[in-house]
Amino acid sequence: MTAPAHHRAEALRLTPLDPTGRPTRHGAVLTPTAPLTAHITPHPDAPHITLTLDVSHATDEDLERTITDLHTAAAAAPDLGIEAQVPTGRPDRWGYLVAPWATDINLDLDPADAGHLTVLTARTRPDSPLRRAQADGDSVHTRFSLTDTPPLTP
């Protein structure tokens, strides 16, 4: 992965992982009430994933609800599997972003730039034991694919 990737998340699942990278339980599907973007950024040791809210297009109540939902789900374990369902602009196709093993999770709120608030950052690990973590492309840290059925349903 050589360039940052940005995907608007329609739905998100944060699944708690044990120290070996295996799920301890199935994460609940969250539907952000404020516009949420998942960023994958290249890094020398491992790509980083960042979840950012667009505060300029959300009410205070929607921001608070989304932040609370994300932080409650992320506080369940030191490591997470992160999945995001993203729009493609086509009614019959959805995008699906997976970071199978996110670690070094930081939940500090941080203004990313004017109008955006970072609510979660983490680095991704390449050694996830999950079968679906094995990417077809150049990275096992993250995977993006298209599907004809919504991958996440509440």
Side-chain angles (χ1 to χ4, degrees):
M1 179 180 299
T2 58
H6 309 282
H7 300 282
R8 187 57 135 311
E10 294 179 321
L12 192 74
R13 178 168 34 226
L14 305 180
T15 298
L17 305 177
D18 69 16
T20 68
R22 297 197 180 278
T24 58
R25 63 178 173 78
H26 202 56
V29 175
L30 308 175
T31 304
T33 54
L36 179 73
T37 302
H39 306 269
I40 304 294
T41 309
H43 197 269
D45 62 343
H48 283 67
I49 186 165
T50 304
L51 301 181
T52 304
L53 289 172
D54 182 346
V55 299
S56 62
H57 290 91
T59 66
D60 288 345
E61 182 179 316
D62 287 343
L63 286 170
E64 185 175 333
R65 183 179 310 129
T66 300
I67 291 167
T68 300
D69 288 349
L70 285 170
H71 284 194
T72 300
D79 291 355
L80 297 169
I82 300 176
E83 301 165 87
Q85 176 178 306
V86 304
T88 62
R90 291 179 46 186
D92 60 341
R93 300 290 275 178
W94 288 265
Y96 185 49
L97 172 72
V98 179
W101 196 345
T103 192
D104 295 338
I105 295 160
N106 182 351
L107 298 176
D108 292 337
L109 299 178
D110 182 30
D113 58 39
H116 292 87
L117 181 68
T118 298
V119 293
L120 180 149
T121 59
R123 90 179 152 86
T124 59
R125 290 182 58 156
D127 52 344
S128 172
L130 303 181
R131 179 182 52 80
R132 66 183 172 189
Q134 305 311 310
D136 297 328
D138 60 353
S139 173
V140 295
H141 293 270
T142 57
R143 175 168 60 92
F144 182 79
S145 59
L146 296 173
T147 176
D148 57 3
T149 56
L152 300 178
T153 52

